[in-house]
Amino acid sequence: MELSEQEIIRRESLKKLRELGIDPYPADEYKINATSLEIKEKFDEEKNNFQEVRLAGRIMSRRIMGKASFAEIQDHEGRIQLYFNRDEICPGEDKKMYNEVFKKFLDRGDIIGVEGFAFRTQMGEITVHVKNFAVLNKSLRPLPAVKEKEGKTYDAFTDPEQRYRQRYVDLIVNPLVKDVFIKRTKIIDTMRQMFNEYGYLEVETPILQPIPGGAAARPFVTHHNALNIPLYLRIANELYLKRLIVGGFDGVYEFAKDFRNEGMDRTHNPEFTVMEIYVAYKDYKWMMGFTEEICERVALALHGTTKVQLGEHIIDYKTPYPRVTMTEAIKEHTGYDISGKTENELRAICDKLGIETDPSMGKGKLIDEIFGEKCEHNYIQPTFITDYPVEMSPLTKRHRENPELTERFELMVNGKELANAYSELNDPIDQRERFEEQLKLSEKGDDEAMFIDQDFLRALEYGMPPTSGMGIGIDRLTMFMTNSPSIQDVLFFPQMKPEKKKVELTEDEKMVLELLKAVSPVDLNQLKEQTGLSNKKWDKAIKGLTKHKLAKVEKTEEGLFVEVTN
């Protein structure tokens, strides 16, 4: 492993600490009786409190000034200044703990524990006067050097690739990042408290499923060796929660990890969190009011107001929200009435609107494309889009007034879907027919069409009461409530492309690569002449580039050609 100069110095300091008899990674408990925030908020000079404090944290800065120095440590609640005095740290003749350990062998990023008392400096800053300190962890990699001056941050750790891949560093040097995740937990806690007040039961359903049902999505597949069967990571937990309603529960909900083997972008991650809730003897109209209450409660819990900044917009979650049918929305924004249209007629409408289609798309997907391309982005303030065509909703009860539609809504916020809900289909015969329609779509090449779940159909045949269900994306809700532009900002560890290892090239390899970038592909002999390298150096350079997969050599009828691959 190649080490930087700083990493080599830190390992040398580690060795020196051990030579002094100091364990840089002690196993025993370090008892803490105060935190940085507690001291800063509650310290009172008149009360003379916090005179025997023990706290621990990571060194974020040091100012060495002879026999007296300052440092700043960061614990889980924030940062606080420390004052070190050599003669108090080392009252006897042996000054090694200050002169050597503190001044020479500790670095920014190391974790220490300190004992001392709180006081206010002449500059008015609450500080801990250190009497004793202990090394709790010697860090071997330097933290990014984030500098602050007059409230402005310089050289911040801002590269998204590094931040998402090394979230542990991001959390250390960018304190506001932690606040997003604290709010995420508060969102879930607020929702859970509300559901429990209603008397609904939190449950768990299988993640590994023999049939990936409950949504139209491409699943991840694996193999169970002992049973010798394929299993799928769930794309939704809907069908299992509805089985529990069949079993007699009045209301059930789950905060579920779902997985969809699809593309990644600023609003989608292959692994994501959804809350799904199902309540017996309710319909989608009742669920609209319930969903409004969730959003309003969450906004108030996080911000103390229903108005939340999201990009350039102020989103107001104050209830109630407008209700617009999908047919009305499409007619308003495209001029076309999709009511009663055949698949061919819908395909023709897509062509006129400039929307790409393919032969695998049925009526449901065509309508979904029209709405997504031409309507969705118009709904910035919370709006319920209702009454979806039956082809778009295989698990939804037909509309009580128009059998071509279903009793379904999606809550749109900032031009994106936030929640999806139905009056649940509980007619087993109709449900079987809908699944069979999905099977036909699958045979046409739609790899997101739903599987037929025979056990779920059997459950419906035992009888499921009238039920309404709703799912809300926790990741997206967190994005909206914390003004985060990307889903990666609200996931501790988002899925990333494999990390590319840095390739160190020789000077000859660099020269050949630059020539290749100018003209590629190029005749191998012509390129060799351009380089002016000897046969030995040429062979070594071209082999190095092909080994690193930066170039490739191909034989054609006209001879050997070299081209850039990266």
PDB file of all heavy atoms in Angstrom, residues 67 93 101 140 170 190 226-227 295 319 321 326 348 355 372 396 445 449 459 486 510 525 541 553:
ATOM      1  N   LYS A  67       4.199  26.673  26.089  1.00  0.00           N
ATOM      2  CA  LYS A  67       3.734  25.814  27.182  1.00  0.00           C
ATOM      3  C   LYS A  67       2.228  25.925  27.421  1.00  0.00           C
ATOM      4  O   LYS A  67       1.690  25.300  28.339  1.00  0.00           O
ATOM      5  CB  LYS A  67       4.497  26.117  28.468  1.00  0.00           C
ATOM      6  CG  LYS A  67       4.240  27.487  29.064  1.00  0.00           C
ATOM      7  CD  LYS A  67       4.999  27.614  30.387  1.00  0.00           C
ATOM      8  CE  LYS A  67       4.669  28.933  31.077  1.00  0.00           C
ATOM      9  NZ  LYS A  67       5.359  29.057  32.377  1.00  0.00           N
ATOM     10  N   GLU A  93       8.379  16.570  37.001  1.00  0.00           N
ATOM     11  CA  GLU A  93       9.512  16.837  36.112  1.00  0.00           C
ATOM     12  C   GLU A  93       9.276  16.295  34.705  1.00  0.00           C
ATOM     13  O   GLU A  93       9.795  16.830  33.725  1.00  0.00           O
ATOM     14  CB  GLU A  93      10.786  16.211  36.703  1.00  0.00           C
ATOM     15  CG  GLU A  93      11.260  16.854  37.989  1.00  0.00           C
ATOM     16  CD  GLU A  93      11.678  18.296  37.783  1.00  0.00           C
ATOM     17  OE1 GLU A  93      12.346  18.574  36.768  1.00  0.00           O
ATOM     18  OE2 GLU A  93      11.302  19.149  38.620  1.00  0.00           O
ATOM     19  N   VAL A 101       3.559  13.958  23.576  1.00  0.00           N
ATOM     20  CA  VAL A 101       2.288  13.361  23.150  1.00  0.00           C
ATOM     21  C   VAL A 101       1.376  14.410  22.525  1.00  0.00           C
ATOM     22  O   VAL A 101       0.942  14.269  21.370  1.00  0.00           O
ATOM     23  CB  VAL A 101       1.587  12.663  24.342  1.00  0.00           C
ATOM     24  CG1 VAL A 101       0.221  12.128  23.902  1.00  0.00           C
ATOM     25  CG2 VAL A 101       2.451  11.526  24.868  1.00  0.00           C
ATOM     26  N   LEU A 140      -5.094   7.449  11.245  1.00  0.00           N
ATOM     27  CA  LEU A 140      -3.959   7.224  10.349  1.00  0.00           C
ATOM     28  C   LEU A 140      -4.102   7.960   9.028  1.00  0.00           C
ATOM     29  O   LEU A 140      -3.160   8.002   8.232  1.00  0.00           O
ATOM     30  CB  LEU A 140      -3.777   5.720  10.097  1.00  0.00           C
ATOM     31  CG  LEU A 140      -3.495   4.884  11.351  1.00  0.00           C
ATOM     32  CD1 LEU A 140      -3.253   3.434  10.984  1.00  0.00           C
ATOM     33  CD2 LEU A 140      -2.304   5.443  12.127  1.00  0.00           C
ATOM     34  N   ASP A 170     -17.586  12.879   5.450  1.00  0.00           N
ATOM     35  CA  ASP A 170     -18.579  13.931   5.223  1.00  0.00           C
ATOM     36  C   ASP A 170     -19.235  14.358   6.534  1.00  0.00           C
ATOM     37  O   ASP A 170     -19.387  15.549   6.824  1.00  0.00           O
ATOM     38  CB  ASP A 170     -19.638  13.400   4.247  1.00  0.00           C
ATOM     39  CG  ASP A 170     -20.578  14.474   3.743  1.00  0.00           C
ATOM     40  OD1 ASP A 170     -20.173  15.646   3.679  1.00  0.00           O
ATOM     41  OD2 ASP A 170     -21.722  14.126   3.391  1.00  0.00           O
ATOM     42  N   THR A 190     -42.400  10.891  13.749  1.00  0.00           N
ATOM     43  CA  THR A 190     -43.664  11.627  13.723  1.00  0.00           C
ATOM     44  C   THR A 190     -44.767  10.790  13.083  1.00  0.00           C
ATOM     45  O   THR A 190     -45.896  10.738  13.587  1.00  0.00           O
ATOM     46  CB  THR A 190     -43.485  12.953  12.940  1.00  0.00           C
ATOM     47  OG1 THR A 190     -42.468  13.736  13.573  1.00  0.00           O
ATOM     48  CG2 THR A 190     -44.778  13.745  12.901  1.00  0.00           C
ATOM     49  N   ALA A 226     -30.558 -24.221  -0.496  1.00  0.00           N
ATOM     50  CA  ALA A 226     -31.195 -25.362   0.179  1.00  0.00           C
ATOM     51  C   ALA A 226     -32.534 -25.723  -0.460  1.00  0.00           C
ATOM     52  O   ALA A 226     -32.861 -26.902  -0.625  1.00  0.00           O
ATOM     53  CB  ALA A 226     -31.389 -25.051   1.663  1.00  0.00           C
ATOM     54  N   LEU A 227     -33.331 -24.701  -0.824  1.00  0.00           N
ATOM     55  CA  LEU A 227     -34.632 -24.963  -1.443  1.00  0.00           C
ATOM     56  C   LEU A 227     -34.539 -25.120  -2.958  1.00  0.00           C
ATOM     57  O   LEU A 227     -35.499 -25.564  -3.596  1.00  0.00           O
ATOM     58  CB  LEU A 227     -35.603 -23.816  -1.116  1.00  0.00           C
ATOM     59  CG  LEU A 227     -35.959 -23.632   0.363  1.00  0.00           C
ATOM     60  CD1 LEU A 227     -36.839 -22.403   0.541  1.00  0.00           C
ATOM     61  CD2 LEU A 227     -36.661 -24.875   0.924  1.00  0.00           C
ATOM     62  N   CYS A 295     -48.528  14.820   6.106  1.00  0.00           N
ATOM     63  CA  CYS A 295     -47.628  15.854   5.580  1.00  0.00           C
ATOM     64  C   CYS A 295     -47.628  17.093   6.469  1.00  0.00           C
ATOM     65  O   CYS A 295     -46.564  17.673   6.743  1.00  0.00           O
ATOM     66  CB  CYS A 295     -48.033  16.219   4.156  1.00  0.00           C
ATOM     67  SG  CYS A 295     -47.806  14.869   2.974  1.00  0.00           S
ATOM     68  N   THR A 319     -53.373  21.774   5.083  1.00  0.00           N
ATOM     69  CA  THR A 319     -54.503  21.074   4.474  1.00  0.00           C
ATOM     70  C   THR A 319     -55.666  22.053   4.265  1.00  0.00           C
ATOM     71  O   THR A 319     -55.750  23.074   4.952  1.00  0.00           O
ATOM     72  CB  THR A 319     -54.969  19.921   5.374  1.00  0.00           C
ATOM     73  OG1 THR A 319     -55.458  20.478   6.600  1.00  0.00           O
ATOM     74  CG2 THR A 319     -53.840  18.967   5.686  1.00  0.00           C
ATOM     75  N   TYR A 321     -55.668  19.837   0.250  1.00  0.00           N
ATOM     76  CA  TYR A 321     -54.982  19.975  -1.029  1.00  0.00           C
ATOM     77  C   TYR A 321     -55.980  19.827  -2.181  1.00  0.00           C
ATOM     78  O   TYR A 321     -56.977  19.098  -2.054  1.00  0.00           O
ATOM     79  CB  TYR A 321     -53.878  18.917  -1.182  1.00  0.00           C
ATOM     80  CG  TYR A 321     -52.915  18.830  -0.014  1.00  0.00           C
ATOM     81  CD1 TYR A 321     -52.245  17.643   0.278  1.00  0.00           C
ATOM     82  CD2 TYR A 321     -52.651  19.943   0.787  1.00  0.00           C
ATOM     83  CE1 TYR A 321     -51.352  17.556   1.343  1.00  0.00           C
ATOM     84  CE2 TYR A 321     -51.755  19.869   1.854  1.00  0.00           C
ATOM     85  CZ  TYR A 321     -51.116  18.665   2.130  1.00  0.00           C
ATOM     86  OH  TYR A 321     -50.242  18.595   3.185  1.00  0.00           O
ATOM     87  N   MET A 326     -56.944  12.482 -13.319  1.00  0.00           N
ATOM     88  CA  MET A 326     -55.896  12.340 -14.326  1.00  0.00           C
ATOM     89  C   MET A 326     -56.400  12.760 -15.699  1.00  0.00           C
ATOM     90  O   MET A 326     -55.669  13.431 -16.460  1.00  0.00           O
ATOM     91  CB  MET A 326     -55.379  10.899 -14.369  1.00  0.00           C
ATOM     92  CG  MET A 326     -54.403  10.672 -15.510  1.00  0.00           C
ATOM     93  SD  MET A 326     -53.398   9.213 -15.320  1.00  0.00           S
ATOM     94  CE  MET A 326     -52.079   9.844 -14.297  1.00  0.00           C
ATOM     95  N   ALA A 348     -51.142   7.045 -31.065  1.00  0.00           N
ATOM     96  CA  ALA A 348     -51.186   8.148 -32.027  1.00  0.00           C
ATOM     97  C   ALA A 348     -51.078   9.497 -31.309  1.00  0.00           C
ATOM     98  O   ALA A 348     -50.408  10.421 -31.797  1.00  0.00           O
ATOM     99  CB  ALA A 348     -52.476   8.069 -32.836  1.00  0.00           C
ATOM    100  N   ILE A 355     -43.896  12.068 -27.891  1.00  0.00           N
ATOM    101  CA  ILE A 355     -43.509  11.180 -26.791  1.00  0.00           C
ATOM    102  C   ILE A 355     -43.083   9.835 -27.364  1.00  0.00           C
ATOM    103  O   ILE A 355     -43.836   9.208 -28.130  1.00  0.00           O
ATOM    104  CB  ILE A 355     -44.679  10.990 -25.804  1.00  0.00           C
ATOM    105  CG1 ILE A 355     -45.035  12.338 -25.152  1.00  0.00           C
ATOM    106  CG2 ILE A 355     -44.334   9.963 -24.735  1.00  0.00           C
ATOM    107  CD1 ILE A 355     -46.300  12.303 -24.327  1.00  0.00           C
ATOM    108  N   GLY A 372     -46.592  11.825 -17.367  1.00  0.00           N
ATOM    109  CA  GLY A 372     -45.246  12.125 -16.887  1.00  0.00           C
ATOM    110  C   GLY A 372     -44.538  13.191 -17.704  1.00  0.00           C
ATOM    111  O   GLY A 372     -43.862  14.069 -17.163  1.00  0.00           O
ATOM    112  N   THR A 396     -56.063  -1.986  -8.020  1.00  0.00           N
ATOM    113  CA  THR A 396     -56.975  -0.960  -7.508  1.00  0.00           C
ATOM    114  C   THR A 396     -58.428  -1.262  -7.868  1.00  0.00           C
ATOM    115  O   THR A 396     -58.729  -1.703  -8.973  1.00  0.00           O
ATOM    116  CB  THR A 396     -56.584   0.420  -8.085  1.00  0.00           C
ATOM    117  OG1 THR A 396     -55.185   0.593  -7.962  1.00  0.00           O
ATOM    118  CG2 THR A 396     -57.308   1.535  -7.365  1.00  0.00           C
ATOM    119  N   GLY A 445     -43.071  -8.222 -23.842  1.00  0.00           N
ATOM    120  CA  GLY A 445     -41.726  -7.696 -23.605  1.00  0.00           C
ATOM    121  C   GLY A 445     -41.626  -6.671 -22.500  1.00  0.00           C
ATOM    122  O   GLY A 445     -40.565  -6.095 -22.286  1.00  0.00           O
ATOM    123  N   ALA A 449     -43.887  -5.686 -15.925  1.00  0.00           N
ATOM    124  CA  ALA A 449     -45.249  -6.150 -15.675  1.00  0.00           C
ATOM    125  C   ALA A 449     -45.284  -7.044 -14.437  1.00  0.00           C
ATOM    126  O   ALA A 449     -44.307  -7.727 -14.110  1.00  0.00           O
ATOM    127  CB  ALA A 449     -45.766  -6.920 -16.886  1.00  0.00           C
ATOM    128  N   ALA A 459     -55.784 -15.777  -0.889  1.00  0.00           N
ATOM    129  CA  ALA A 459     -56.141 -14.980   0.294  1.00  0.00           C
ATOM    130  C   ALA A 459     -57.377 -14.132   0.021  1.00  0.00           C
ATOM    131  O   ALA A 459     -58.294 -14.051   0.856  1.00  0.00           O
ATOM    132  CB  ALA A 459     -54.962 -14.094   0.696  1.00  0.00           C
ATOM    133  N   SER A 486     -30.849  16.006  -4.041  1.00  0.00           N
ATOM    134  CA  SER A 486     -30.575  14.665  -4.554  1.00  0.00           C
ATOM    135  C   SER A 486     -30.883  13.614  -3.499  1.00  0.00           C
ATOM    136  O   SER A 486     -30.681  13.834  -2.297  1.00  0.00           O
ATOM    137  CB  SER A 486     -29.095  14.557  -4.959  1.00  0.00           C
ATOM    138  OG  SER A 486     -28.749  13.221  -5.254  1.00  0.00           O
ATOM    139  N   LYS A 510       2.143   8.302 -20.764  1.00  0.00           N
ATOM    140  CA  LYS A 510       1.397   9.555 -20.850  1.00  0.00           C
ATOM    141  C   LYS A 510       1.499  10.163 -22.247  1.00  0.00           C
ATOM    142  O   LYS A 510       0.512  10.649 -22.802  1.00  0.00           O
ATOM    143  CB  LYS A 510       1.917  10.551 -19.809  1.00  0.00           C
ATOM    144  CG  LYS A 510       1.559  10.207 -18.379  1.00  0.00           C
ATOM    145  CD  LYS A 510       2.196  11.211 -17.420  1.00  0.00           C
ATOM    146  CE  LYS A 510       1.934  10.829 -15.964  1.00  0.00           C
ATOM    147  NZ  LYS A 510       2.624  11.754 -15.029  1.00  0.00           N
ATOM    148  N   ASN A 525       1.768   1.343 -36.391  1.00  0.00           N
ATOM    149  CA  ASN A 525       3.115   1.716 -36.816  1.00  0.00           C
ATOM    150  C   ASN A 525       3.260   3.224 -36.958  1.00  0.00           C
ATOM    151  O   ASN A 525       4.304   3.797 -36.632  1.00  0.00           O
ATOM    152  CB  ASN A 525       3.462   1.020 -38.136  1.00  0.00           C
ATOM    153  CG  ASN A 525       3.632  -0.487 -37.949  1.00  0.00           C
ATOM    154  OD1 ASN A 525       4.165  -0.923 -36.937  1.00  0.00           O
ATOM    155  ND2 ASN A 525       3.167  -1.264 -38.914  1.00  0.00           N
ATOM    156  N   ALA A 541       5.416   0.784 -23.241  1.00  0.00           N
ATOM    157  CA  ALA A 541       4.365   1.808 -23.110  1.00  0.00           C
ATOM    158  C   ALA A 541       3.018   1.291 -23.590  1.00  0.00           C
ATOM    159  O   ALA A 541       1.998   1.467 -22.912  1.00  0.00           O
ATOM    160  CB  ALA A 541       4.767   3.060 -23.887  1.00  0.00           C
ATOM    161  N   VAL A 553      -5.626  -2.635 -28.904  1.00  0.00           N
ATOM    162  CA  VAL A 553      -5.080  -2.867 -30.244  1.00  0.00           C
ATOM    163  C   VAL A 553      -5.979  -3.879 -30.938  1.00  0.00           C
ATOM    164  O   VAL A 553      -6.279  -4.940 -30.386  1.00  0.00           O
ATOM    165  CB  VAL A 553      -3.631  -3.386 -30.180  1.00  0.00           C
ATOM    166  CG1 VAL A 553      -3.086  -3.624 -31.583  1.00  0.00           C
ATOM    167  CG2 VAL A 553      -2.747  -2.416 -29.413  1.00  0.00           C
TER     168      VAL A 553
END
